[in-house]
Amino acid sequence: GDSVTQMEGPVTLSEEAFLTINCTYTATGYPSLFWYVQYPGEGLQLLLKATKADDKGSNKGFEATYRKETTSFHLEKGSVQVSDSAVYFCALGSRDTGFQKLVFGTGTRLLVSP
Amino acid sequence: DVKVTQSSRYLVKRTGEKVFLECVQDMDHENMFWYRQDPGLGLRLIYFSYDVKMKEKGDIPEGYSVSREKKERFSLILESASTNQTSMYLCASYPAGGGNSPLHFGNGTRLTVT
């Protein structure tokens, strides 16, 4: 079945450092890919998405490119802030299920220190 | 903005108790979901519902049931709570035909079974 693998955390960075959180997937067909973020004490919220190969999703300085050849969707940010400290989840949605039933990775906690 | 409200942020229950987790959404979404979130395991789908009185099992339905009597409300029921059901529970909603619309999550209910 479909699956998502993301790097284990926590990822600990200093403010203004460059961030990469790796995500790879296994899926049949042509899934859509998502990054969700969970701030402390809150539910998940969509950070960015990409619906087809070579698409780049971006939001709040974060970017991720849908790479079909490497089945990857790595999250990047050029300069992190303390307020980016959160748990980040990579997820995929299948066209066959109307993108409703997302498959999530295990989450990567990011800790940014001043 | 879509609002998904989970009635309790924290619950403490005893082994063997019947537990109800309530979720209400205010945007007339047809689809509603219950996920369980555990460290190192990410989010796992328990049950979902695509219409009133309709339900489908997710990946880990054992020990749970659900009720959807009204469109806006989706309840998760633990018939006889056990300690291995201690977890964070997240409700989400999604519109029918929403294509690449994001899942909208509540803030979660942290359940402790003692």
Side-chain angles (χ1 to χ4, degrees):
Chain A
D2 296 348
S3 67
V4 173
T5 302
Q6 57 182 114
M7 60 189 292
E8 287 196 30
V11 173
T12 305
L13 295 172
S14 297
E15 207 164 26
E16 299 183 1
F18 184 86
L19 168 71
T20 300
I21 300 178
N22 290 337
C23 171
T24 57
Y25 68 91
T26 302
T28 55
Y30 303 93
S32 288
L33 300 172
F34 306 83
W35 276 101
Y36 278 79
V37 58
Q38 184 180 33
Y39 297 105
E42 299 184 11
L44 278 71
Q45 55 186 275
L46 181 68
L47 180 60
L48 54 85
K49 67 182 182 187
T51 58
K52 62 182 187 296
D54 300 324
D55 267 3
K56 177 185 284 188
S58 61
N59 186 26
K60 299 182 180 179
F62 290 89
E63 292 183 340
T65 301
Y66 187 159
R67 302 274 188 212
K68 190 168 184 288
E69 63 276 15
T70 56
T71 61
S72 66
F73 192 54
H74 304 321
L75 182 68
E76 296 182 337
K77 187 175 185 182
S79 175
V80 294
Q81 305 300 311
V82 172
S83 57
D84 293 327
S85 298
V87 181
Y88 292 82
F89 291 90
C90 186
L92 71 83
S94 164
R95 193 181 306 273
D96 293 338
T97 60
F99 305 105
Q100 298 167 14
K101 287 176 60 181
L102 296 185
V103 174
F104 287 88
T106 54
T108 302
R109 183 176 297 278
L110 171 64
L111 301 170
V112 181
S113 58
Chain B
D1 263 1
V2 176
K3 190 163 186 184
V4 179
T5 303
Q6 295 183 230
S7 55
S8 304
R9 290 301 301 273
Y10 300 95
L11 275 179
V12 180
K13 297 292 181 182
R14 293 185 183 274
T15 300
E17 277 193 79
K18 190 169 186 175
V19 181
F20 293 85
L21 303 184
E22 306 288 348
C23 175
V24 176
Q25 50 93 5
D26 65 359
M27 281 300 290
D28 206 35
H29 285 175
E30 286 74 12
N31 303 287
M32 297 187 74
F33 305 80
W34 276 106
Y35 286 89
R36 170 175 171 162
Q37 181 181 4
D38 298 290
L41 296 176
L43 275 70
R44 294 178 290 168
L45 182 63
I46 305 172
Y47 266 97
F48 68 101
S49 169
Y50 52 89
D51 204 349
V52 175
K53 297 192 185 297
M54 306 301 287
K55 62 185 179 184
E56 285 198 23
K57 293 180 180 179
D59 300 318
I60 52 163
E62 297 78 17
Y64 303 95
S65 61
V66 290
S67 172
R68 184 116 181 254
E69 296 296 318
K70 293 185 178 181
K71 192 174 187 180
E72 67 270 18
R73 186 180 296 272
F74 192 36
S75 303
L76 180 70
I77 303 157
L78 286 66
E79 296 289 344
S80 177
S82 63
T83 54
N84 63 11
Q85 293 177 309
T86 291
S87 186
M88 171 71 87
Y89 291 87
L90 292 168
C91 176
S93 72
Y94 183 89
N100 289 319
S101 297
L103 283 177
H104 295 273
F105 283 87
N107 284 343
T109 296
R110 185 167 294 282
L111 172 67
T112 302
V113 182
T114 61

